[in-house]
Amino acid sequence: MGLADASGPRDTQALLSATQAVELRRRDYHMERPLLNQEHLEELGRWGSAPRTRQWRTWLQCSHARARALLLQHLPVLVWLPRYPVRDWLLGDLLSGMSVAIMQLPQGLAYALLAGLPPVFGLYSSFYPVFIYFLFGTSRHISVATPGPLPVLTAPGHPTGGAGPDPLRLPGHLPVRASCPRLYHSCSCAGLRLTAQVCVWPPSEQPLWATVPHLLLEVCRKLPQSKVSTVVTAAVAGVVLLVVKLLNDKLRRQLPMPIPGELLMLIGATGISYGMGLKHIFGVDVVGNISAGLVPPVAPNTQLFSKLVGSAFTIAVVGFAIAISLGKIFALRHGYRVDSNQELVALGLSNLIGGIFQCFPVSCSMSRSLVQESTGGNSQVAGAISSLFILLIIVKLGELFRDLPKAVLAAIIIVNLKGMLRQLSDVCSFWKANRADLLIWLVTFAATILLNLDLGLMVSVVFSLLLVVVRTQMPHYSILGQVPDTDIYRDVAEYSEAKEVPGVKVFRSSATVYFANADFYSDALKQRCGVDVDFLISQKKKLLKKREQLKLKQLQKEKKLQKQAASSKGASVSINVNTSLEDMRSNNVEDCKVMQVSPGDKMEDATANGQEDSKAPDGSTLKALGLPQPDFHSLILDLGALSFVDTVCLKSLKNIFHDFRDIEVEVYMAACHSPVVSQLEAGHFFDASITKKHLFASVHDAVTFALQHPRPVPDSPVSVTRL
């Protein structure tokens, strides 16, 4: 009776018991299909190798449509700018661009001094690369500028420490194609180095081996030599700027845009320094003359390429890691896509063209990107507006900041490192979420502190790769059991209701099997099955060898007895001389008949015994040899986690088949992906003893076949399984 016959749903539910209500809410599915191994699956699905695409042919094709597609792919501004919603986005981008420009002005001057360059180079680096990224970038929200870690890498990369008229230039983008969010951990470690480096001597005097402990010792050593006026200026500027940032964080929702603390500090400190004469009276160092106007382009010095290639590679990796990490975070938040390859091209062109115009390396700034997003920025139009504002300062207003104290710029750098230093609290979250990431974080932190930023980053990358190899060597091995009334198999140690199928062992590894963990896979399989396979095989070989030796001794003993019987009869004939000639003749005839018949009978008996032995294979079984038998007759390897196989994996799988067959256990495989099956065929894994009939479409197909054939039966008919 259906629910329609009842007076209503509520009345029906009231009449039914709790169990019946659950049964009504269940949505079971029933399926009937043939039991499929790989051979029948290929016939049913008409499997064939996928056609290979000749990618290089498409690269060589030339047409109007392809030229247009390449132009739009490598110049994204032509795609989104014609569709730019002026009414909806222009006001937000204008406000965001002005806010970012206000932050870029003091930070650009500060980071240029930190890199050992004249302050005007910081303004150049805030104009040219930003405008180039506006044309070639795909992220709508990141702000291209100099992040904190890059000045640390820039100053040591120059042969003269970064001082002089020729700043560090990158010869072009490096072909790095990877999204490495973990490399961003090194930026938090760079915060401590930046804090110490700001307080030490000028960057041009810093040695290449100036690690954080060394810098901190130098800070303590040079404290007596510091000027009180400079320390007071930096402390006051830092406290005021920190208060402004705390107010911005607290009043974020009430304020239409953040309070421009850096700009106000810049204007106020310049006015106070000029009015009170801090340079002449108190000896406070100031920025000095800032030349107005743009400089002509200068070709890179090719003689420096060999000296800069190591630092250039490090800067490219760190810069790209920061940019692509933040770009993907913003893209995920706002629902668009960032092209990693095009981002690398955009950053490379920004640094290439910027290097020609006296810029030092740039990437993405986290603090300015957050300001660009929070103040209503919707596209890179905000970046173009900020770069035009910086251009105005370079051409007309730059010389107004020549009396700005350098201590104020140092305070701006240290206060803006708050976000980096705050990442030290990630240790607690990593401890709860992922201990492996915590280990990478700690190694990166220690290597960056003790070895320098570039070497620390290299150690971090190498350690991450080694950790991947180690984790593949220690995957999760499990014996699977069937969840009741389903075709689902799960780890019996994790699922209490999952029960092992009697007579069948299902084994699974959570990682692919390759040369680094193939031995561990075989050892874990034999251990989890609860059978000492190697011991049984060795004992079986010993007993069979002992049996062969006993048979050989028995045959030799029989031959010896036959020879003795023949010699004794010959002697009796020669000694009996008193008999008649006829008796001798008759005796000789009989002896010959005996000699002719007896060996024939022996050979027939031996042949009959051999046929009986061949017809009765139980003589070489574990039971006949008195050895313990495994409590299962079939082993199923769930290979669903395999993504590829190598030659070591193929040999390991073949050894598993041979070893378990020696102890009378048939082996099957299940759930292999098509690329893995193709690699098995290419490696000549399948032969007369291991065919595609041993490979099944699913674990349940293999279990059903194993239950129907508890002992290996070749060419068994296909049966039907019901799920």
Side-chain angles (χ1 to χ4, degrees):
M1 183 176 66
L3 293 178
D5 298 333
S7 59
R10 295 182 180 178
D11 297 338
T12 304
Q13 291 294 338
L15 293 175
L16 293 175
S17 63
T19 305
Q20 290 173 330
V22 171
E23 291 294 330
L24 286 174
R25 288 194 297 268
R26 289 177 57 187
R27 294 294 182 266
D28 296 340
Y29 74 91
H30 300 274
M31 180 175 60
E32 184 174 328
R33 64 170 177 82
L35 190 150
L36 295 175
N37 56 33
Q38 184 64 29
E39 187 175 289
H40 296 108
L41 180 61
E42 292 177 2
E43 295 177 358
L44 182 64
R46 296 182 180 179
W47 178 79
S49 59
R52 296 182 178 180
T53 57
R54 306 284 184 178
Q55 188 68 30
W56 58 271
R57 292 183 178 178
T58 61
W59 294 343
L60 299 179
Q61 291 177 357
C62 184
S63 63
H64 175 73
R66 177 162 176 76
R68 184 176 182 275
L70 287 175
L71 179 63
L72 296 179
Q73 178 183 355
H74 296 291
L75 199 61
V77 68
L78 299 178
V79 177
W80 61 265
L81 191 59
R83 306 173 186 174
Y84 182 77
V86 178
R87 293 183 179 180
D88 298 333
W89 286 6
L90 182 59
L91 182 60
D93 285 338
L94 182 62
L95 182 63
S96 176
M98 294 298 295
S99 303
V100 172
I102 289 170
M103 292 184 65
Q104 278 184 345
L105 174 60
Q107 292 184 14
L109 297 173
Y111 285 132
L113 291 175
L114 183 61
L117 303 172
V120 69
F121 290 152
L123 299 180
Y124 297 155
S125 301
S126 300
F127 168 63
Y128 290 105
V130 176
F131 194 79
I132 296 300
Y133 187 83
F134 162 75
L135 299 176
F136 294 95
T138 59
S139 176
R140 302 199 319 238
H141 292 89
I142 66 172
S143 175
V144 174
T146 303
L150 292 193
V152 184
L153 295 171
T154 303
H158 198 277
T160 60
D166 295 326
L168 174 66
R169 303 183 186 91
L170 286 180
H173 70 276
L174 297 175
V176 181
R177 187 190 179 196
S179 177
C180 306
R182 290 181 179 177
L183 299 181
Y184 196 68
H185 296 338
S186 61
C187 300
S188 60
C189 308
L192 291 176
R193 177 180 174 83
L194 275 168
T195 306
Q197 188 168 337
V198 169
C199 303
V200 195
W201 57 82
S204 59
E205 299 179 13
Q206 295 177 6
L208 298 179
W209 45 266
T211 58
V212 172
H214 177 79
L215 291 174
L216 293 177
L217 289 176
E218 288 297 322
V219 170
C220 298
R221 188 174 65 86
K222 291 202 171 185
L223 275 179
Q225 305 175 16
S226 61
K227 297 179 181 179
V228 178
S229 57
T230 303
V231 174
V232 171
T233 303
V236 172
V239 170
V240 172
L241 192 57
L242 187 60
V243 170
V244 173
K245 286 189 173 293
L246 292 176
L247 286 176
N248 283 333
D249 293 340
K250 202 165 188 178
L251 304 177
R252 183 184 306 170
R253 297 182 179 180
Q254 287 79 11
L255 295 175
M257 62 174 290
I259 301 173
E262 287 89 350
L263 181 63
L264 296 178
M265 178 64 63
L266 213 66
I267 297 173
T270 304
I272 293 173
S273 175
Y274 177 77
M276 298 180 62
L278 296 182
K279 178 181 179 182
H280 303 289
I281 299 175
F282 300 98
V284 177
D285 290 338
V286 296
V287 171
N289 186 32
I290 299 177
S291 58
L294 300 174
V295 294
V298 179
N301 187 358
T302 56
Q303 296 179 356
L304 299 178
F305 281 4
S306 60
K307 298 179 181 179
L308 300 180
V309 62
S311 298
F313 179 79
T314 305
I315 292 172
V317 172
V318 174
F320 178 65
I322 296 173
I324 197 62
S325 299
L326 286 177
K328 289 191 174 183
I329 289 173
F330 288 126
L332 184 63
R333 185 181 300 175
H334 294 276
Y336 62 92
R337 182 178 176 273
V338 171
D339 188 351
S340 301
N341 291 334
Q342 185 59 29
E343 284 296 299
L344 189 58
V345 171
L347 290 175
L349 289 175
S350 298
N351 285 295
L352 175 64
I353 299 175
I356 296 175
F357 287 96
Q358 308 290 318
C359 301
F360 55 87
V362 298
S363 180
C364 169
S365 172
M366 182 175 66
S367 59
R368 275 161 283 185
S369 299
L370 292 173
V371 169
Q372 181 169 323
E373 182 205 25
S374 61
T375 53
N378 297 292
S379 68
Q380 283 301 324
V381 172
I385 293 173
S386 66
S387 65
L388 294 177
F389 183 78
I390 296 297
L391 176 63
L392 177 63
I393 295 175
I394 294 173
V395 174
K396 293 294 183 182
L397 305 178
E399 58 185 10
L400 299 178
F401 297 102
R402 60 189 174 194
D403 290 323
L404 175 65
K406 292 182 179 180
V408 174
L409 297 178
I412 291 174
I413 293 175
I414 293 176
V415 172
N416 280 286
L417 292 176
K418 181 183 65 172
M420 287 188 181
L421 297 176
R422 191 181 295 172
Q423 293 184 10
L424 295 174
S425 62
D426 291 345
V427 174
C428 299
S429 60
F430 284 145
W431 176 264
K432 297 178 181 178
N434 195 317
R435 305 288 174 84
D437 281 349
L438 174 62
L439 189 59
I440 294 175
W441 194 98
L442 293 175
V443 170
T444 305
F445 182 84
T448 306
I449 293 296
L450 299 176
L451 300 177
N452 213 337
L453 186 59
D454 48 356
L455 294 178
L457 179 63
M458 186 183 302
V459 170
S460 173
V461 173
V462 173
F463 180 77
S464 299
L465 295 177
L466 291 177
L467 189 60
V468 171
V469 176
V470 171
R471 295 177 74 176
T472 58
Q473 289 183 338
M474 296 185 298
H476 179 67
Y477 299 111
S478 55
I479 295 294
L480 305 185
Q482 184 179 15
V483 179
D485 301 328
T486 67
D487 62 338
I488 299 173
Y489 293 81
R490 292 293 182 265
D491 189 357
V492 295
E494 297 177 354
Y495 291 79
S496 58
E497 291 297 324
K499 304 298 181 183
E500 292 188 45
V501 179
V504 179
K505 289 282 186 182
V506 184
F507 180 76
R508 181 176 65 187
S509 171
S510 62
T512 189
V513 183
Y514 67 115
F515 69 93
N517 62 357
D519 292 337
F520 296 102
Y521 181 86
S522 300
D523 295 341
L525 170 63
K526 295 173 182 178
Q527 181 183 3
R528 295 298 179 94
C529 288
V531 178
D532 196 343
V533 180
D534 298 331
F535 175 76
L536 286 179
I537 293 175
S538 62
Q539 291 297 316
K540 182 178 179 180
K541 288 181 179 179
K542 288 180 181 179
L543 292 175
L544 290 176
K545 187 177 180 180
K546 188 176 181 181
R547 175 180 290 183
E548 292 295 330
Q549 291 176 351
L550 291 175
K551 285 184 178 180
L552 184 60
K553 289 181 180 179
Q554 200 169 16
L555 289 175
Q556 292 176 352
K557 188 176 181 180
E558 289 179 358
K559 289 181 180 180
K560 189 175 182 181
L561 292 175
Q562 291 175 2
K563 289 181 180 180
Q564 291 177 356
S567 60
S568 62
K569 288 184 178 181
S572 62
V573 171
S574 61
I575 293 172
N576 190 6
V577 294
N578 297 323
T579 57
S580 64
L581 182 61
E582 293 180 358
D583 293 337
M584 292 175 62
R585 289 177 179 176
S586 62
N587 289 334
N588 286 333
V589 172
E590 291 177 357
D591 290 339
C592 291
K593 288 182 180 180
V594 170
M595 293 295 294
Q596 291 175 358
V597 173
S598 297
D601 294 340
K602 292 291 183 182
M603 292 296 296
E604 289 178 0
D605 294 340
T607 304
N609 291 333
Q611 291 178 353
E612 290 178 0
D613 291 340
S614 62
K615 290 180 181 180
D618 293 336
S620 61
T621 61
L622 296 176
K623 185 177 181 180
L625 295 173
L627 294 175
Q629 292 180 290
D631 58 351
F632 57 97
H633 55 76
S634 299
L635 172 65
I636 298 173
L637 304 177
D638 183 0
L639 303 181
L642 263 65
S643 57
F644 68 93
V645 291
D646 56 4
T647 55
V648 178
C649 176
L650 295 178
K651 292 180 181 178
S652 178
L653 290 177
K654 282 194 172 184
N655 290 336
I656 290 172
F657 269 84
H658 296 157
D659 290 347
F660 278 89
R661 282 176 174 175
D662 285 343
I663 62 171
E664 303 167 14
V665 174
E666 185 59 29
V667 184
Y668 304 100
M669 301 180 297
C672 272
H673 301 293
S674 295
V676 177
V677 177
S678 301
Q679 293 174 11
L680 291 175
E681 288 183 332
H684 305 288
F685 176 77
F686 298 108
D687 52 20
S689 60
I690 306 175
T691 65
K692 288 187 176 181
K693 293 182 179 180
H694 292 85
L695 177 58
F696 290 86
S698 67
V699 175
H700 190 66
D701 287 334
V703 171
T704 305
F705 183 85
L707 290 176
Q708 295 175 354
H709 306 87
R711 287 291 178 266
V713 179
D715 298 331
S716 300
V718 177
S719 59
V720 175
T721 177
R722 294 186 179 183
L723 306 181

